Amino acid sequence: MSELTLPPDSRAERLLARLDAAYFHFAAELPPRLRAPAHLRSTYTGMPGDEPFEGLSSMNPGVTCTPWLFWEFVQSLPDDRILHAAEAGTLIVLSSVLLDHMADGQAERPGETALLQQALFRTGVARFRRCFPPDSRFWRHFERLESEHLAGLDLELDTQTEPEKLNWEIFLEMVPGKFSPIVITMAAMTALLGRCELLTPIETSIKHLAIASQLLDDMGDWEEDRASGHLTYYLTRLAPPERWATVDWPA
């Protein structure tokens, strides 16, 4: 999915610019060793490079700009409520991206990545605590989606060592789990709206998008995945499972 385009000078565009500013304010307050990776695009893409990170609005909007994809629901909330929940949710999502990179062995500097992941996650949770009391229904969704995320990563690690397990059914379970943190932001928005019934269709939509995006990424990255020894569902379709269990992968 390409960069999000919004009507110029619109309320949605102004709020998205404020979300970018909130991220860079967070990054500026990090310990010195973490500020540099927080300002690099490669930190979140998992690909080598020294290009500067241009903000949350420059990433896949299905990952970092979810409220803007469901703007017709979200726009009735006051600006500050949208911004606070979006910031908290996006920090959680970015932390999950880094956790995915570490699980996949893509983190160039594992120590710094682990510390930045913790800073993102802890700050995101702290921001959500400002939005919701401990007894809010939101926290039940938060815990459920975080559990799904860990389960998805666990499945992925399992299939890397046992390729025969990576079938279509497991793929459909693994990918929505890995992308579950994206749903947290919309769980917050629907809770703030008092419209929790909206979460189910929104969650279904996000997870279908995640499956489609993962398939597209895996097709585009097949050469890199094969070279790095990272097995994907797409690669498993190109040779029998026992061929991927060998030291020398199929050509």
Side-chain angles (χ1 to χ4, degrees):
M1 186 179 289
S2 61
E3 185 176 331
L4 186 63
T5 301
L6 298 171
D9 299 321
S10 64
R11 178 184 177 224
E13 185 184 57
R14 290 192 295 272
L15 277 175
L16 189 55
R18 288 178 63 187
L19 182 66
D20 280 338
Y23 171 81
F24 288 115
H25 178 75
F26 157 81
E29 294 188 330
L30 289 169
R33 286 291 296 270
L34 301 185
R35 288 177 202 154
H39 286 87
L40 286 177
R41 180 176 177 81
S42 60
T43 298
Y44 298 116
T45 63
M47 304 295 291
D50 56 3
E51 297 88 354
F53 182 49
E54 297 179 348
L56 306 170
S57 60
S58 68
M59 295 182 68
N60 183 334
V63 176
T64 55
C65 304
T66 323
W68 284 264
L69 299 182
F70 295 94
W71 185 249
E72 65 270 28
F73 301 124
V74 171
Q75 63 181 334
S76 61
L77 290 169
D79 286 3
D80 285 347
R81 285 203 152 195
I82 294 174
L83 187 63
H84 293 162
E87 181 189 1
T90 302
L91 294 178
I92 296 293
V93 168
L94 291 180
S95 79
S96 75
V97 170
L98 297 191
L99 192 58
D100 288 355
H101 290 341
M102 289 187 287
D104 292 344
Q106 289 181 298
E108 290 186 8
R109 297 177 294 275
E112 292 177 3
T113 301
L115 292 176
L116 181 56
Q117 189 272 334
Q118 279 293 295
L120 288 160
F121 185 82
R122 289 167 64 90
T123 306
V125 171
R127 297 282 195 273
F128 273 136
R129 285 177 178 151
R130 296 179 187 176
C131 299
F132 300 102
D135 60 349
S136 170
R137 290 179 62 185
F138 162 76
W139 292 110
R140 292 201 292 275
H141 291 300
F142 180 90
E143 292 172 2
R144 171 180 65 83
L145 293 163
E146 273 297 297
S147 294
E148 288 181 14
H149 180 227
L150 292 179
L153 291 178
D154 182 72
L155 269 178
E156 183 173 43
L157 290 174
D158 198 32
T159 58
Q160 296 303 306
T161 56
E162 299 185 61
E164 68 277 6
K165 291 184 177 180
L166 188 46
N167 56 31
W168 180 242
E169 289 72 24
I170 291 297
F171 180 79
L172 291 181
E173 182 180 354
M174 177 181 71
V175 174
K178 287 182 59 181
F179 284 82
S180 284
I182 297 173
V183 183
I184 291 174
T185 308
M186 291 310 298
M189 295 297 175
T190 55
L192 290 172
L193 286 164
R195 298 286 307 279
C196 290
E197 75 278 4
L198 293 174
L199 183 59
T200 297
I202 289 175
E203 181 171 348
T204 300
S205 174
I206 290 172
K207 289 182 175 179
H208 281 311
L209 177 61
I211 292 167
S213 297
Q214 187 68 66
L215 284 170
L216 184 62
D217 287 348
D218 291 348
M219 287 187 284
D221 297 341
W222 74 268
E223 291 177 293
E224 292 85 350
D225 288 330
R226 182 185 175 279
S228 65
H230 178 67
L231 188 64
T232 65
Y233 176 74
Y234 176 71
L235 285 177
T236 68
R237 300 302 88 198
L238 305 179
E242 58 269 19
R243 295 291 304 279
W244 302 108
T246 62
V247 175
D248 296 321
W249 277 15

